[in-house]
Amino acid sequence: MNKIKSLDDLRKMKQSLEHGMNIREKSNSPESLVQIRVAMATCGIAAGARTVMNTLIEKIEIEKIPAVVTQGGCMGYCYAEPTIEVKVPGKDPVVFGNVDSKVAIEIVEKYIKNGELLDGIIPTNYQTINE
Amino acid sequence: MNDLSLHIIDIIQNSLSAGATLIKLTVNEDIIGDLLTIEIEDNGKGMTVQQVMSLEDPFFTSRTTRRVGMGIPLFKQSAAQSSGDLVVLSEPGVGTKVTATFKYSHIDRPPLGDLANSFILMVSANPKKEFFLRYLYNGSEYCFDTVEVKEILDGLPLYDPSVIRTLTTMVDANIKEIKDEN
């Protein structure tokens, strides 16, 4: 990758960034994207939410999945942190607990790509507080 | 919490929960003065004097999903064990400023951790919010402003992995350069 440091470097890189993005992502409609929300309250962060977030971002790039990784607050599942909520377009959101990097990769490969369910799902009778 | 950049994520999450739209992070590594200062300032809904006073109580939280709040107490503990302190200033309707100080050379001071990664993750996960980073090392400084960056990216999504990687590399390169020069 080119060396990038100043805002001018960023300006020059903009085109190549744009080329690399797939069309669906450029359409900029969040409904067409897979939304992955990583719970990032104290408990989640302490349990390794940042590592999981980095892994997810890397993995969706490798797999070229149009997805957005965002952060959420505490959902009350401190015992199962790190937790992530995955919303595939047209489906109900699913919450996975005890997600480490290995599980995160499995979630992308199995659930997001193929729709297979995995162990560690938390029933969705919750309500998120900070939408 | 393994490092201070994780505490920063935690406090920024508080700011976001308080409805902030602008979050300013200042990290000042003053080796000469043997002081590390981390300041997070937001324009969220703020807190009353009473709420600020109860912050250090781990059993105080505004959250409804659980009854304990460890974010501030843990951050304060990290500061206190490094001969530093944590101060929260807040005004309802204006915002909140959290300032943590650490004796830089203190053996119990946690490492700063990957600041560029933590900061850019917050930026990319909250594309509608504005973030400002001011990083100082022995008086030299580097600033990153999402207002400028978004203008240059001109609609490219901040959550795109290639954008995240580019921005992280950029912030990291600047932090390293300032450190090497000083």
Side-chain angles (χ1 to χ4, degrees):
Chain A
M1 192 203 293
N2 295 335
K3 206 167 158 242
I4 166 153
K5 233 182 72 214
S6 66
L7 290 174
D8 269 337
D9 296 340
L10 184 65
R11 203 169 280 128
K12 282 173 203 147
M13 261 199 85
K14 194 197 157 230
Q15 254 194 337
S16 66
L17 283 173
E18 204 166 5
H19 278 301
M21 282 176 206
N22 61 48
I23 301 146
R24 252 196 296 180
E25 203 166 351
K26 271 189 274 184
S27 75
N28 226 351
S29 60
E31 300 79 38
S32 65
L33 299 172
V34 176
Q35 298 196 36
I36 307 171
R37 196 151 59 139
V38 182
M40 279 272 198
T42 313
C43 46
I45 299 166
R50 182 179 63 174
T51 313
V52 170
M53 205 167 168
N54 282 322
T55 307
L56 285 167
I57 291 167
E58 269 170 42
K59 188 66 182 168
I60 60 168
E61 184 172 29
I62 295 168
E63 301 283 346
K64 296 192 171 56
I65 294 168
V68 46
V69 182
T70 60
Q71 68 176 128
C74 177
M75 293 190 286
Y77 299 116
C78 307
Y79 62 91
E81 294 291 349
T83 55
I84 68 170
E85 182 192 79
V86 184
K87 170 88 178 76
V88 176
K91 286 188 191 172
D92 283 335
V94 177
V95 177
F96 296 90
N98 300 312
V99 180
D100 57 12
S101 288
K102 199 171 139 255
V103 178
I105 288 171
E106 259 182 84
I107 290 170
V108 175
E109 284 176 350
K110 292 193 177 152
Y111 178 66
I112 297 177
K113 280 184 76 183
N114 300 330
E116 293 168 36
L117 290 175
L118 299 166
D119 282 346
I121 293 176
I122 295 172
T124 53
N125 56 352
Y126 67 94
Q127 289 193 317
T128 48
I129 46 162
N130 56 343
E131 237 333 286
Chain B
M1 301 280 169
N2 297 328
D3 62 48
L4 298 175
S5 71
L6 293 178
H7 283 297
I8 292 174
I9 295 182
D10 198 10
I11 305 303
I12 290 178
Q13 175 62 39
N14 287 352
S15 296
L16 293 166
S17 305
T21 54
L22 171 66
I23 292 155
K24 289 184 194 168
L25 166 65
T26 307
V27 175
N28 186 353
E29 296 195 66
D30 178 6
I31 319 295
I32 299 162
D34 199 15
L35 189 70
L36 170 66
T37 311
I38 296 172
E39 193 178 279
I40 298 131
E41 193 178 353
D42 70 47
N43 65 348
K45 64 183 172 193
M47 289 173 286
T48 61
V49 178
Q50 245 176 352
Q51 281 175 310
V52 172
M53 274 163 55
S54 43
L55 272 180
E56 287 165 31
D57 173 3
F59 298 102
F60 168 80
T61 177
S62 60
R63 191 189 311 102
T64 49
T65 47
R66 59 178 148 86
R67 288 195 301 276
V68 291
M70 302 293 282
I72 291 280
L74 284 173
F75 199 16
K76 182 162 178 125
Q77 187 188 32
S78 288
Q81 76 186 18
S82 327
S83 295
D85 199 8
L86 181 134
V87 179
V88 180
L89 293 173
S90 192
E91 204 184 321
V94 179
T96 302
K97 184 159 98 175
V98 178
T99 309
T101 51
F102 305 80
K103 185 174 157 67
Y104 198 91
S105 63
H106 201 288
I107 192 152
D108 289 326
R109 178 183 64 81
L112 184 55
D114 195 340
L115 179 64
N117 178 238
S118 296
F119 179 71
I120 296 299
L121 277 182
M122 295 298 98
V123 170
S124 67
N126 304 282
K128 286 187 186 135
K129 313 277 181 177
E130 302 301 346
F131 289 84
F132 186 84
L133 168 70
R134 184 160 174 250
Y135 173 79
L136 295 106
Y137 192 90
N138 282 341
S140 300
E141 68 172 83
Y142 165 67
C143 292
F144 176 102
D145 188 347
T146 50
V147 177
E148 284 174 353
V149 169
K150 282 177 188 171
E151 206 181 289
I152 291 171
L153 290 176
D154 190 25
L156 286 192
L158 281 176
Y159 54 78
D160 182 85
S162 62
V163 175
I164 297 173
R165 189 154 26 79
T166 307
L167 294 180
T168 310
T169 314
M170 185 174 100
V171 173
D172 213 30
N174 282 288
I175 290 177
K176 285 215 174 80
E177 189 189 71
I178 290 182
K179 271 191 170 173
D180 290 347
E181 280 173 3
N182 294 280

